[in-house]
Amino acid sequence: MSRITRPPIIDVEASGFGSDSYPIEVGVVLTSGKRYCSLINPVPEWTHWDVQAAKVHGITRAFLKKNGRPVTEVAQALNSLIADKTVYSDGWGVDLRWITKLFYTAGIYQQFKVSALENILSEDQMNIWHEIKTQVLAGTKFKRHRATNDALIIQETYTRTLMAQ
């Protein structure tokens, strides 16, 4: 039996759901299992704050301002960790927009690609994704809607759907 390679996964939590939203937390889990997570301190022009989104991720704006890292630091850390790689997202449409906003605001060139998770899923995997993800969630104590936890859940679900084929 061949060894299963876990794909590198990225997940982003944001200040809201609309076009004015911005990234507040990014999490990455690499193929090796190495993890990176950081809260992002909003720059002054990032003012949108959606109370409903905050209820989902559980991060307050005050906590973010106190504990978040500067956009330049987070962008540099991501480039250092995943330069020249492709990372996958289950929310590619929004995650890519938020990552682009992070790098644009930081004034740093993004040295990695973000691709839709669907690009590496077979039809069989897609057909059992929700069932397997429910099993993964039932067996974990992770708090959902935190970036690294969600990335770990996605990576584990991918692996289990691959093994189920």
Side-chain angles (χ1 to χ4, degrees):
M1 175 185 241
S2 65
R3 186 169 176 248
I4 293 175
T5 301
R6 294 173 175 260
I9 303 293
I10 193 164
D11 189 72
V12 181
E13 298 300 326
S15 67
F17 306 109
S19 62
D20 291 336
S21 63
Y22 51 87
I24 64 165
E25 183 181 44
V26 63
V28 176
V29 181
L30 299 179
T31 300
S32 66
K34 182 176 179 178
R35 303 172 192 178
Y36 171 80
C37 188
S38 181
L39 292 169
I40 303 165
N41 191 357
V43 296
E45 61 267 25
W46 290 357
T47 58
H48 175 76
W49 192 259
D50 184 322
V51 176
Q52 294 306 314
K55 286 180 183 177
V56 172
H57 52 63
I59 301 167
T60 66
R61 189 162 168 83
F63 183 80
L64 190 62
K65 284 185 169 189
K66 181 179 178 187
N67 297 292
R69 294 186 180 133
V71 293
T72 53
E73 183 182 320
V74 177
Q76 288 169 343
L78 289 170
N79 273 345
S80 181
L81 182 68
I82 53 181
D84 302 321
K85 291 182 174 65
T86 299
V87 291
Y88 297 92
S89 166
D90 73 338
W92 177 81
V94 290
D95 284 353
L96 180 61
R97 181 171 39 108
W98 292 321
I99 292 166
T100 300
K101 186 175 266 192
L102 171 72
F103 277 86
Y104 177 80
T105 303
I108 296 174
Y109 174 75
Q110 180 183 318
Q111 299 174 10
F112 58 92
K113 292 183 352 183
V114 180
S115 184
L117 182 65
E118 292 82 3
N119 290 337
I120 60 170
L121 291 174
S122 69
E123 188 172 336
D124 289 341
Q125 284 176 283
M126 287 186 206
N127 288 337
I128 60 172
W129 183 267
H130 294 293
E131 175 188 345
I132 299 295
K133 187 174 181 183
T134 299
Q135 293 171 10
V136 169
L137 289 169
T140 185
K141 294 179 177 133
F142 291 143
K143 181 179 179 196
R144 290 201 56 214
H145 303 295
R146 291 302 302 264
T148 303
N149 290 348
D150 284 357
L152 283 164
I153 291 164
I154 294 161
Q155 191 183 64
E156 181 62 22
T157 302
Y158 174 88
T159 302
R160 290 189 192 182
T161 60
L162 199 58
M163 291 187 320
Q165 294 187 56

